[in-house]
């Protein structure tokens, strides 16, 4: 049945939804790459909340989605940017999410790594580096006590408090020395969070890279890998070639992930990606093809998904979470399109329409008829007469 989808200029276009999804199957663990999906949270639609109040999470649906990712062999990167850290998900709720997801991972046999940040601390003119370290330590303790691997996330408080590269070297050195197990270091660019401009002590990315590498070189035994989210494929390749032996690069580039994961004759990137939330089953199938040594087959499966990813992550990039949750609703992973902090309002109807069209064209919806009906309902809510 034809859907009439809105264009940005206010006109409508006719779209014929597909009737069958792409067939994907469950499989064994990956052998050539380590792959994490940064997972979203499902809000409780019946909670009486406000955008600036504590988050209310539907725990059953949230954990069910993690089981879905694990069933396809993907690791879960928990309580990260995709889970709306600093954009609706407060630290007490994030801590509960970490504990619940880590326990679920043990039961399901799934891999999990969890975000460690400082979002319980609001930086002011009097905030000290010691307070930033203490905030990091509190969260690191929660993650390590849960049994999950730690991901040291970029900190808004540190970005606001640090006076230069030496302060980053001090804080990260302190944290790495006390970490029980090797961690993943996360460099999130300002396109994802404007408050992180000048991270590592400089807005000059070459200088920032040098400081980042200095942190790693001082503690290579405590760094499992790095996650780079700068949306700059060339810079990521240059960076991964400079890493110490044994330190992995996990791409966080949602614009260029197929080529970065495929790699070249000098190496490749593993993956820790928000786009692998909606792409989970298809991404897993592609990585299993890559496990056989078939790079062309891997690219043939994953390259067509880039248009959708670039659409979801278009500027302002930090609102990509809205598109991710929108597709989870259309895919039947949750019964509603509601987000913590009211973030479902962060994208426009034409944006949703194009996301639906691209995802449907890829065959991402397990039940295309359900997705079509839900899209029709959304269009009706916005006043688009079908």
């Amino acid at each position: 049945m034809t859907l009439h989808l809105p264009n940005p200029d206010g006109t409508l276009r006719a779209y014929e939804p597909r009737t069958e999804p792409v067939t994907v199957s469950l499989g064994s663990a990956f052998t050539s790459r380590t792959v994490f999906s940064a997972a979203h949270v499902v809000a409780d639609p019946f909670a009486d909340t406000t955008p600036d109040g504590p988050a209310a999470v539907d725990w059953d649906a949230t954990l069910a989605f993690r089981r879905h990712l694990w069933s396809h062999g993907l690791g879960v990167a928990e309580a990260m940017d995709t889970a709306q850290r600093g954009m609706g998900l407060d630290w007490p709720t994030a801590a509960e999410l970490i504990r619940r997801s880590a326990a679920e991972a043990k039961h399901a046999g799934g891999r999990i790594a969890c975000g460690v940040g400082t979002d319980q601390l609001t930086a002011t003119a009097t905030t000290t580096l010691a307070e930033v370290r203490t905030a990091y330590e509190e969260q690191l303790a929660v993650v390590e006590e849960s049994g999950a691997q730690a991901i040291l996330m970029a900190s808004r408080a540190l970005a606001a408090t640090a006076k230069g590269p030496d302060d980053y070297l001090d804080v990260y050195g302190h944290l790495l020395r006390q970490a029980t197990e090797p961690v993943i270091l996360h460099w999130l660019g300002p396109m994802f969070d404007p408050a992180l401009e000048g991270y590592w002590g400089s807005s000059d990315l070459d200088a920032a890279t040098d400081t980042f590498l200095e942190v790693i070189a001082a503690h290579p035994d405590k760094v499992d890998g790095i996650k780079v989210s700068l949306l700059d494929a060339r810079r990521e390749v240059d960076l991964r070639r400079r890493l110490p032996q044994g330190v992995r690069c996990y791409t966080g580039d949602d614009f260029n992930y197929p080529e970065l994961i495929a790699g070249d004759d000098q190496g490749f990137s593993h993956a820790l990606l928000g786009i692998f939330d909606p792409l989970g089953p298809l991404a897993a199938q592609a990585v299993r093809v890559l496990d056989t040594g078939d790079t062309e087959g891997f690219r043939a499966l994953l390259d067509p998904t880039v248009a959708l990813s670039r659409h979801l992550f278009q500027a302002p990039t930090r609102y990509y979470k809205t598109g991710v949750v929108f597709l989870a609703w259309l895919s039947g992973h949750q019964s509603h399109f509601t987000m913590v902090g009211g973030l479902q309002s962060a994208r426009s109807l034409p944006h949703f329409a194009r996301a639906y069209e691209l995802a449907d064209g890829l065959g991402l919806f397990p039940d295309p008829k359900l997705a079509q009906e839900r899209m029709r309902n959304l269009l009706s809510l916005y006043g688009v007469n079908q």
Side-chain angles (χ1 to χ4, degrees), residues 148-292:
Q149 183 178 17
I151 304 171
L152 293 186
M153 302 169 67
S155 161
R156 291 176 181 172
L158 181 55
T161 305
K163 304 304 182 186
D166 287 346
D167 288 343
Y168 288 88
L169 293 170
D170 174 69
V171 170
Y172 277 90
H174 180 86
L175 294 169
L176 290 172
R177 282 191 294 272
Q178 66 176 301
T180 304
E181 300 291 340
V183 308
I184 298 172
L185 296 180
H186 185 193
W187 185 357
L188 191 69
M191 67 289 293
F192 287 91
D193 187 344
L196 300 177
E197 177 66 44
Y199 212 74
W200 305 111
S202 179
S203 294
D204 181 310
L205 288 180
D206 291 335
T209 297
D210 289 342
T211 302
F212 187 42
L213 288 168
E214 189 174 348
V215 169
I216 299 165
H219 307 277
D221 59 319
K222 288 296 186 73
V223 181
D224 164 68
I226 62 169
K227 170 177 158 47
V228 187
S229 299
L230 298 176
L231 304 183
D232 185 335
R234 181 179 295 277
R235 182 167 294 278
E236 179 174 322
V237 171
D238 290 343
L239 177 55
R240 81 184 182 204
R241 289 175 180 170
R242 297 173 63 188
L243 291 174
Q245 185 70 26
V247 176
R248 307 179 190 193
C249 179
Y250 294 93
T251 187
D253 188 333
D254 300 278
F255 283 4
N256 305 293
Y257 51 94
E259 65 184 86
L260 291 164
I261 298 170
D264 54 32
D265 57 2
Q266 297 184 57
F268 56 82
S269 295
H270 299 271
L272 198 165
L273 287 161
I275 192 57
F276 280 5
D277 178 304
L279 292 184
L282 182 57
Q285 182 169 310
V287 175
R288 289 196 179 91
V289 171
L290 187 59
D291 286 345
T292 69

Side-chain angles (χ1 to χ4, degrees), residues 39 41 59 62-63 66 70 76 78-79 94-108 110-112 114 146 148:
V41 292
W59 294 112
T62 294
L63 295 176
R66 278 122 184 91
W70 286 321
V76 168
E78 187 57 276
E96 182 68 12
L97 176 65
I98 288 166
R99 295 186 183 102
R100 287 177 180 250
S101 292
E104 195 73 21
K106 291 176 185 176
H107 184 265
R111 183 165 183 171
I112 189 168
C114 299
S146 77

Side-chain angles (χ1 to χ4, degrees), residues 48-56 88-90 93 340-341:
D48 187 9
T49 61
T50 60
D52 57 352
L89 189 73
D90 55 282
T93 310
V340 298

Side-chain angles (χ1 to χ4, degrees), residues 114-136:
C114 299
V116 172
T118 63
D119 45 324
Q120 75 273 47
L121 175 66
T122 300
T124 68
T126 61
T127 299
T128 65
L129 288 180
E131 290 173 318
V132 174
R133 286 196 301 268
T134 298
Y136 262 130

